[in-house]
Amino acid sequence: MAEKSKKIKLTILETSDIHGAILPINYANNEERDLGLAKVATLINQEKKNNYNLLLIDNGDLIQGTPLTYYYSRIDSSKINPVIKVLNHLKYDAAVIGNHEFNYGSEILNRALQESVFPWLSANIILSEGGSCYTGKPYYIKTFEEGIKVGILGLTTKYIPNWENPAIIQGIRFEDPVEYAKRWVKVLKEEEKVDLVVVSYHGGFERNVETGEPTENLTGENQGYQLCVEVPEIDVLLTGHQHRSIYGRKINGVLVLQPGTQGLVLGKAEIVFEKSDSEIRIIEKNSELLSIKGIKADSEVIEMIKEYEDKTQEWLDRPIGKIKGDMLVRDHMTIRTRDNALIEFINKVQMEYSGASISNTALFDNHALGFPSNVTMRDIVSNYIYPNTLRVIRITGHDIKAALERSASYFEQYDGKEIRANEVFSTPKPQHYNYDMWEGINYIIDISKPIGNRVVTLERGGRTIDLDKEYEVVMNNYRAGGGGEYIMFQNKPIVKDIPIDMSELIANYILERGTIEATVNENWKVIY
């Protein structure tokens, strides 16, 4: 007599790289935008109505990234973290630690973990003392209809020590996610006897998902492709970190998914099982991205963070001082091709508070508007969008030249028509923040020349810089650790740490002076 069988569907919903975005607004001007958890919540609630078996996971970089989360973490953290409050309300099943979870410090992160009614997972973040998992749990088991057992393993990019302030991650090890996946997937399959292995990895793909060709230097920052190839027992790999939109793909039989950033879309995977008296097997796996464009924001989510938002908006509109002259950004390519008042000002602030006479900084994204004549906190946090601190490191002239060549690779080789950004700085993830501009030295970059040979002038004090001499340079902590493939800065002597957010330093600088004069000393330019 033939066995009777039954088909059972499981839906997995994934958010990733929300970066504190709850409300559908642009904080620079409060204009409405199609993004944020309030709109994602509407989609989640719709899916819950239509799917009995549903798993809801956040893949990391959750609690940092907007003025709302900055105000909570730095000004008033007396109540529950607003982002955690929303995830609790939406009944998330689990979350994974992302690299930006550490940005506001261990106290804010640990509070977020404690306030969550769902488990946080990250098998490869290990406490140095005792060797236990930092989050307490490497994986989570959930049982669905007909006894279908699903194991969710959390993993995080191991590259965090190259970006984060060492004081924040002291006592923590970031182990290789592939090796830890091999260990724990075996436990899930052989000991826990799960029917589906879901790995939620806060990291992306180091290779083209279709061809397998490398798309970046294989530093270990992104190991999604390697996970699929070396741990084929994974059934579904949820990814993030790169802010890409990836769906409908399988690598080595592993279904992969990545839902962009800021809640622009909701990742959805559907798994169909066939259950008989003797076995449960997977017969179908598909994935898609659900857009929030045109979706109405959930009124309950908006209401539950209203108190946080009102305080944030009041703080953002607080006057700081005045700008005499022009510090506005009108064209984001032009500002990267010749010295300008905004970048010169940020470098001046860094040099003032660090005591260093050489500095570098970036224009962090292409939404920056610069500073108007009357400056508020909104203007500051809209232009300096990361909670970076400063570090002074001792480097050689060779290192300075190598760093300038790295920045110069931002441009495609000039073809006589127009200046274009090298696509590796925008694909697969926008990385405009990895082009630095310097103060305290004089230099010229010629983008008609091949990458690696573009620095045609490099001077200090009217003389060609001594490449063998050592110099003290101030930069943000991300860059000082080698972030953005600035490997020439890694493991260099640290002269000074300034553990205060740059946005706070900028605000203090303006408050102390009242009026800031916009200046441009033309110490650098790009030619072709």
Side-chain angles (χ1 to χ4, degrees):
M1 184 176 175
E3 283 187 292
K4 290 183 179 180
S5 64
K6 179 181 180 181
K7 289 184 179 179
I8 302 164
K9 184 180 77 172
L10 169 70
T11 297
I12 304 169
L13 300 180
E14 179 200 5
T15 52
S16 189
D17 299 270
I18 291 294
H19 287 288
I22 300 177
L23 295 182
I25 61 171
N26 177 357
Y27 278 97
N29 51 24
N30 279 345
E31 289 182 358
E32 186 171 346
R33 290 183 65 194
D34 277 317
L35 54 74
L37 279 173
K39 289 200 170 197
V40 171
T42 301
L43 286 179
I44 289 172
N45 290 330
Q46 289 173 359
E47 289 295 319
K48 285 183 175 180
K49 288 179 182 177
N50 299 325
N51 296 282
Y52 177 71
N53 300 310
L54 188 140
L55 188 63
L56 179 57
I57 299 172
D58 184 80
N59 189 58
D61 279 6
L62 174 69
I63 64 172
Q64 173 277 336
T66 58
L68 177 72
T69 56
Y70 183 93
Y71 181 83
Y72 168 80
S73 300
R74 293 292 191 248
I75 311 297
D76 183 4
S77 56
S78 58
K79 293 181 171 60
I80 183 174
N81 189 304
V83 191
I84 300 303
K85 188 174 184 179
V86 173
L87 265 64
N88 285 345
H89 168 73
L90 293 172
K91 295 181 169 57
Y92 270 70
D93 289 293
V96 174
I97 290 185
N99 53 294
H100 283 285
E101 256 65 72
F102 292 94
N103 286 173
Y104 293 137
S106 56
E107 183 179 343
I108 291 295
L109 172 55
N110 290 334
R111 272 193 60 183
L113 268 59
Q114 292 162 8
E115 291 167 346
S116 302
V117 297
F118 50 86
W120 284 75
L121 313 171
S122 199
N124 66 310
I125 301 181
I126 305 298
L127 292 172
S128 299
E129 188 175 336
S132 61
C133 179
Y134 178 77
T135 61
K137 291 188 176 183
Y139 64 82
Y140 170 66
I141 303 285
K142 187 170 183 178
T143 304
F144 293 91
E145 180 187 359
E146 300 289 339
I148 288 177
K149 199 174 180 183
V150 179
I152 306 100
L153 175 68
L155 298 169
T156 303
T157 175
K158 68 182 180 184
Y159 213 62
I160 291 174
N162 293 284
W163 305 313
E164 195 51 77
N165 188 327
I168 291 175
I169 57 175
Q170 188 174 4
I172 305 172
R173 305 196 315 267
F174 296 86
E175 302 290 359
D176 181 56
V178 177
E179 295 307 312
Y180 273 67
K182 290 175 182 177
R183 176 192 305 182
W184 289 108
V185 167
K186 184 177 181 181
V187 171
L188 290 172
K189 297 287 284 186
E190 297 180 6
E191 297 180 24
E192 297 287 3
K193 308 291 185 185
V194 300
D195 302 300
L196 183 78
V197 174
V198 177
V199 171
S200 189
Y201 166 54
H202 188 81
F205 295 96
E206 71 282 27
R207 296 177 181 272
N208 184 296
V209 296
E210 295 179 10
T211 67
E213 290 296 314
T215 53
E216 62 187 38
N217 292 330
L218 302 181
T219 60
E221 177 180 350
N222 299 297
Q223 295 173 276
Y225 201 94
Q226 186 183 357
L227 280 165
C228 293
V229 171
E230 296 190 19
V231 198
E233 298 85 1
I234 298 170
D235 296 305
V236 180
L237 179 65
L238 308 177
T239 63
H241 185 58
Q242 291 174 313
H243 300 182
R244 298 170 69 182
S245 295
I246 298 173
Y247 65 97
R249 298 283 178 193
K250 295 186 182 77
I251 299 173
N252 196 31
V254 180
L255 182 70
V256 298
L257 185 62
Q258 189 171 144
T261 182
Q262 294 183 306
L264 295 170
V265 294
L266 175 65
K268 179 181 179 181
E270 287 191 334
I271 316 299
V272 180
F273 300 88
E274 185 175 69
K275 184 181 188 299
S276 65
D277 294 336
S278 60
E279 67 173 348
I280 298 173
R281 64 190 185 95
I282 301 165
I283 60 172
E284 192 176 333
K285 298 189 293 186
N286 295 295
S287 63
E288 61 180 315
L289 298 177
L290 307 178
S291 174
I292 66 163
K293 191 171 184 179
I295 295 293
K296 187 177 179 180
D298 184 88
S299 57
E300 289 187 35
V301 170
I302 292 173
E303 183 60 32
M304 73 175 53
I305 66 154
K306 185 177 186 304
E307 183 180 354
Y308 300 87
E309 179 67 12
D310 288 347
K311 289 182 178 179
T312 301
Q313 290 291 345
E314 182 184 351
W315 173 71
L316 284 171
D317 288 329
R318 193 173 300 165
I320 299 297
K322 295 183 179 295
I323 302 296
K324 183 181 178 181
D326 187 0
M327 238 184 246
L328 294 173
V329 176
R330 294 177 179 82
D331 181 86
H332 298 97
M333 183 59 81
T334 300
I335 205 171
R336 295 184 175 102
T337 59
R338 58 175 178 262
D339 195 14
N340 61 87
L342 176 67
I343 298 301
E344 185 165 303
F345 169 69
I346 294 173
N347 273 320
K348 278 183 180 178
V349 173
Q350 294 188 171
M351 294 158 79
E352 170 73 18
Y353 287 108
S354 69
S357 58
I358 304 175
S359 172
N360 66 50
T361 190
L363 183 71
F364 292 110
D365 68 20
N366 286 347
H367 298 290
L369 301 175
F371 293 158
S373 56
N374 294 302
V375 182
T376 64
M377 280 303 303
R378 187 184 305 278
D379 300 312
I380 292 172
V381 299
S382 296
N383 285 277
Y384 205 105
I385 60 177
Y386 297 110
N388 291 331
T389 58
L390 296 180
R391 189 173 299 163
V392 179
I393 59 175
R394 186 175 294 117
I395 60 177
T396 66
H398 284 287
D399 296 324
I400 292 175
K401 188 172 188 296
L404 287 170
E405 291 288 1
R406 164 62 181 154
S407 282
S409 70
Y410 178 82
F411 303 97
E412 286 190 4
Q413 190 164 358
Y414 186 67
D415 61 1
K417 296 178 181 178
E418 62 178 335
I419 299 174
R420 294 191 300 270
N422 187 335
E423 67 174 10
V424 300
F425 283 80
S426 59
T427 305
K429 176 183 178 179
Q431 298 179 46
H432 304 293
Y433 51 80
N434 281 331
Y435 174 77
D436 289 337
M437 292 156 277
W438 293 60
E439 193 67 30
I441 57 175
N442 291 74
Y443 63 95
I444 298 173
I445 291 170
D446 186 348
I447 60 173
S448 69
K449 295 183 178 297
I451 287 175
N453 295 285
R454 292 180 165 179
V455 179
V456 294
T457 299
L458 178 54
E459 298 176 341
R460 177 163 167 78
R463 296 182 178 181
T464 299
I465 203 164
D466 185 342
L467 298 182
D468 294 318
K469 186 178 176 181
E470 290 185 327
Y471 303 87
E472 293 182 0
V473 180
V474 60
M475 60 192 75
N476 68 57
N477 61 291
Y478 171 81
R479 186 69 78 239
E485 297 186 28
Y486 284 81
I487 58 174
M488 68 293 298
F489 296 150
Q490 289 179 343
N491 303 313
K492 290 299 164 73
I494 299 170
V495 178
K496 186 186 294 185
D497 255 322
I498 298 94
I500 302 171
D501 290 353
M502 259 303 287
S503 54
E504 185 177 341
L505 292 177
I506 293 170
N508 289 342
Y509 188 95
I510 298 174
L511 281 167
E512 289 168 3
R513 290 158 178 80
T515 298
I516 303 297
E517 186 169 353
T519 62
V520 182
N521 62 11
E522 307 287 358
N523 69 299
W524 67 272
K525 62 182 176 181
V526 172
I527 63 172
Y528 47 86

